[in-house]
PDB file of all heavy atoms in Angstrom:
ATOM      1  N   GLY Z 376      92.136 100.781 107.907  1.00 90.00           N
ATOM      2  CA  GLY Z 376      91.086 101.783 107.738  1.00 90.00           C
ATOM      3  C   GLY Z 376      89.814 101.395 108.467  1.00 90.00           C
ATOM      4  O   GLY Z 376      89.169 102.233 109.123  1.00 90.00           O
ATOM      5  N   LEU Z 377      89.447 100.130 108.384  1.00 91.00           N
ATOM      6  CA  LEU Z 377      88.244  99.647 109.076  1.00 91.00           C
ATOM      7  C   LEU Z 377      88.423  99.710 110.588  1.00 91.00           C
ATOM      8  O   LEU Z 377      87.498 100.073 111.324  1.00 91.00           O
ATOM      9  CB  LEU Z 377      87.931  98.212 108.639  1.00 91.00           C
ATOM     10  CG  LEU Z 377      87.455  98.050 107.188  1.00 91.00           C
ATOM     11  CD1 LEU Z 377      87.407  96.578 106.806  1.00 91.00           C
ATOM     12  CD2 LEU Z 377      86.076  98.682 106.994  1.00 91.00           C
ATOM     13  N   ASN Z 378      89.603  99.371 111.054  1.00 90.00           N
ATOM     14  CA  ASN Z 378      89.870  99.414 112.501  1.00 90.00           C
ATOM     15  C   ASN Z 378      89.895 100.837 113.050  1.00 90.00           C
ATOM     16  O   ASN Z 378      89.745 101.034 114.261  1.00 90.00           O
ATOM     17  CB  ASN Z 378      91.207  98.731 112.811  1.00 90.00           C
ATOM     18  CG  ASN Z 378      91.089  97.211 112.830  1.00 90.00           C
ATOM     19  OD1 ASN Z 378      90.053  96.667 113.184  1.00 90.00           O
ATOM     20  ND2 ASN Z 378      92.155  96.530 112.437  1.00 90.00           N
ATOM     21  N   SER Z 379      90.093 101.821 112.167  1.00 89.00           N
ATOM     22  CA  SER Z 379      90.152 103.212 112.620  1.00 89.00           C
ATOM     23  C   SER Z 379      88.774 103.794 112.943  1.00 89.00           C
ATOM     24  O   SER Z 379      88.672 104.850 113.566  1.00 89.00           O
ATOM     25  CB  SER Z 379      90.833 104.082 111.551  1.00 89.00           C
ATOM     26  OG  SER Z 379      89.991 104.260 110.422  1.00 89.00           O
ATOM     27  N   ILE Z 380      87.736 103.104 112.490  1.00 89.00           N
ATOM     28  CA  ILE Z 380      86.369 103.564 112.771  1.00 89.00           C
ATOM     29  C   ILE Z 380      85.988 103.141 114.191  1.00 89.00           C
ATOM     30  O   ILE Z 380      86.136 101.963 114.542  1.00 89.00           O
ATOM     31  CB  ILE Z 380      85.361 102.974 111.756  1.00 89.00           C
ATOM     32  CG1 ILE Z 380      85.787 103.293 110.317  1.00 89.00           C
ATOM     33  CG2 ILE Z 380      83.961 103.511 112.030  1.00 89.00           C
ATOM     34  CD1 ILE Z 380      85.896 104.753 110.008  1.00 89.00           C
ATOM     35  N   PRO Z 381      85.513 104.066 115.022  1.00 88.00           N
ATOM     36  CA  PRO Z 381      85.141 103.718 116.402  1.00 88.00           C
ATOM     37  C   PRO Z 381      84.160 102.547 116.459  1.00 88.00           C
ATOM     38  O   PRO Z 381      83.239 102.457 115.644  1.00 88.00           O
ATOM     39  CB  PRO Z 381      84.480 105.005 116.920  1.00 88.00           C
ATOM     40  CG  PRO Z 381      85.086 106.089 116.089  1.00 88.00           C
ATOM     41  CD  PRO Z 381      85.299 105.492 114.731  1.00 88.00           C
ATOM     42  N   LYS Z 382      84.369 101.646 117.417  1.00 85.00           N
ATOM     43  CA  LYS Z 382      83.522 100.459 117.531  1.00 85.00           C
ATOM     44  C   LYS Z 382      82.058 100.821 117.788  1.00 85.00           C
ATOM     45  O   LYS Z 382      81.149 100.058 117.476  1.00 85.00           O
ATOM     46  CB  LYS Z 382      84.038  99.553 118.647  1.00 85.00           C
ATOM     47  CG  LYS Z 382      85.391  98.928 118.323  1.00 85.00           C
ATOM     48  CD  LYS Z 382      85.854  97.987 119.422  1.00 85.00           C
ATOM     49  CE  LYS Z 382      87.199  97.349 119.063  1.00 85.00           C
ATOM     50  NZ  LYS Z 382      87.687  96.438 120.127  1.00 85.00           N
ATOM     51  N   GLY Z 383      81.856 101.998 118.370  1.00 85.00           N
ATOM     52  CA  GLY Z 383      80.486 102.430 118.640  1.00 85.00           C
ATOM     53  C   GLY Z 383      79.657 102.575 117.382  1.00 85.00           C
ATOM     54  O   GLY Z 383      78.420 102.441 117.427  1.00 85.00           O
ATOM     55  N   GLN Z 384      80.317 102.833 116.249  1.00 85.00           N
ATOM     56  CA  GLN Z 384      79.600 102.960 114.977  1.00 85.00           C
ATOM     57  C   GLN Z 384      78.934 101.636 114.593  1.00 85.00           C
ATOM     58  O   GLN Z 384      77.793 101.605 114.166  1.00 85.00           O
ATOM     59  CB  GLN Z 384      80.583 103.373 113.880  1.00 85.00           C
ATOM     60  CG  GLN Z 384      81.202 104.730 114.068  1.00 85.00           C
ATOM     61  CD  GLN Z 384      80.349 105.832 113.468  1.00 85.00           C
ATOM     62  OE1 GLN Z 384      79.296 105.585 112.915  1.00 85.00           O
ATOM     63  NE2 GLN Z 384      80.812 107.060 113.599  1.00 85.00           N
ATOM     64  N   MET Z 385      79.689 100.562 114.761  1.00 84.00           N
ATOM     65  CA  MET Z 385      79.136  99.244 114.452  1.00 84.00           C
ATOM     66  C   MET Z 385      78.012  98.891 115.418  1.00 84.00           C
ATOM     67  O   MET Z 385      76.961  98.373 115.021  1.00 84.00           O
ATOM     68  CB  MET Z 385      80.237  98.181 114.504  1.00 84.00           C
ATOM     69  CG  MET Z 385      79.755  96.749 114.289  1.00 84.00           C
ATOM     70  SD  MET Z 385      78.993  96.458 112.658  1.00 84.00           S
ATOM     71  CE  MET Z 385      80.472  96.278 111.633  1.00 84.00           C
ATOM     72  N   GLU Z 386      78.218  99.166 116.701  1.00 85.00           N
ATOM     73  CA  GLU Z 386      77.204  98.853 117.706  1.00 85.00           C
ATOM     74  C   GLU Z 386      75.921  99.638 117.455  1.00 85.00           C
ATOM     75  O   GLU Z 386      74.817  99.092 117.573  1.00 85.00           O
ATOM     76  CB  GLU Z 386      77.764  99.164 119.097  1.00 85.00           C
ATOM     77  CG  GLU Z 386      78.929  98.255 119.495  1.00 85.00           C
ATOM     78  CD  GLU Z 386      79.646  98.731 120.746  1.00 85.00           C
ATOM     79  OE1 GLU Z 386      79.219  99.789 121.296  1.00 85.00           O
ATOM     80  OE2 GLU Z 386      80.616  98.082 121.167  1.00 85.00           O
ATOM     81  N   ALA Z 387      76.074 100.911 117.084  1.00 86.00           N
ATOM     82  CA  ALA Z 387      74.898 101.733 116.810  1.00 86.00           C
ATOM     83  C   ALA Z 387      74.148 101.225 115.581  1.00 86.00           C
ATOM     84  O   ALA Z 387      72.913 101.183 115.557  1.00 86.00           O
ATOM     85  CB  ALA Z 387      75.320 103.186 116.601  1.00 86.00           C
ATOM     86  N   ALA Z 388      74.913 100.803 114.564  1.00 84.00           N
ATOM     87  CA  ALA Z 388      74.292 100.291 113.342  1.00 84.00           C
ATOM     88  C   ALA Z 388      73.551  98.990 113.608  1.00 84.00           C
ATOM     89  O   ALA Z 388      72.433  98.778 113.119  1.00 84.00           O
ATOM     90  CB  ALA Z 388      75.365 100.070 112.268  1.00 84.00           C
ATOM     91  N   ARG Z 389      74.160  98.106 114.410  1.00 84.00           N
ATOM     92  CA  ARG Z 389      73.509  96.838 114.733  1.00 84.00           C
ATOM     93  C   ARG Z 389      72.254  97.062 115.576  1.00 84.00           C
ATOM     94  O   ARG Z 389      71.239  96.376 115.404  1.00 84.00           O
ATOM     95  CB  ARG Z 389      74.484  95.920 115.499  1.00 84.00           C
ATOM     96  CG  ARG Z 389      75.690  95.452 114.700  1.00 84.00           C
ATOM     97  CD  ARG Z 389      75.300  94.636 113.476  1.00 84.00           C
ATOM     98  NE  ARG Z 389      74.505  93.486 113.813  1.00 84.00           N
ATOM     99  CZ  ARG Z 389      74.977  92.321 114.217  1.00 84.00           C
ATOM    100  NH1 ARG Z 389      76.281  92.164 114.351  1.00 84.00           N
ATOM    101  NH2 ARG Z 389      74.168  91.315 114.476  1.00 84.00           N
ATOM    102  N   SER Z 390      72.321  98.018 116.494  1.00 86.00           N
ATOM    103  CA  SER Z 390      71.163  98.282 117.363  1.00 86.00           C
ATOM    104  C   SER Z 390      69.998  98.890 116.595  1.00 86.00           C
ATOM    105  O   SER Z 390      68.851  98.828 117.042  1.00 86.00           O
ATOM    106  CB  SER Z 390      71.565  99.217 118.508  1.00 86.00           C
ATOM    107  OG  SER Z 390      71.939 100.490 118.005  1.00 86.00           O
ATOM    108  N   SER Z 391      70.300  99.463 115.422  1.00 85.00           N
ATOM    109  CA  SER Z 391      69.221 100.044 114.609  1.00 85.00           C
ATOM    110  C   SER Z 391      68.540  99.007 113.726  1.00 85.00           C
ATOM    111  O   SER Z 391      67.641  99.323 112.952  1.00 85.00           O
ATOM    112  CB  SER Z 391      69.780 101.174 113.734  1.00 85.00           C
ATOM    113  OG  SER Z 391      70.668 100.657 112.751  1.00 85.00           O
ATOM    114  N   GLY Z 392      69.002  97.756 113.816  1.00 84.00           N
ATOM    115  CA  GLY Z 392      68.354  96.674 113.081  1.00 84.00           C
ATOM    116  C   GLY Z 392      69.121  96.164 111.876  1.00 84.00           C
ATOM    117  O   GLY Z 392      68.661  95.235 111.205  1.00 84.00           O
ATOM    118  N   LEU Z 393      70.280  96.744 111.601  1.00 86.00           N
ATOM    119  CA  LEU Z 393      71.078  96.287 110.462  1.00 86.00           C
ATOM    120  C   LEU Z 393      71.843  95.021 110.818  1.00 86.00           C
ATOM    121  O   LEU Z 393      72.281  94.859 111.955  1.00 86.00           O
ATOM    122  CB  LEU Z 393      72.065  97.363 110.038  1.00 86.00           C
ATOM    123  CG  LEU Z 393      71.501  98.681 109.474  1.00 86.00           C
ATOM    124  CD1 LEU Z 393      72.632  99.653 109.178  1.00 86.00           C
ATOM    125  CD2 LEU Z 393      70.684  98.438 108.213  1.00 86.00           C
TER     126      LEU Z 393
END
Side-chain angles (χ1 to χ4, degrees):
L377 291 170
N378 281 328
S379 72
I380 305 301
K382 292 182 179 179
Q384 296 273 0
M385 176 62 80
E386 294 169 0
R389 294 299 303 277
S390 65
S391 67
L393 295 177

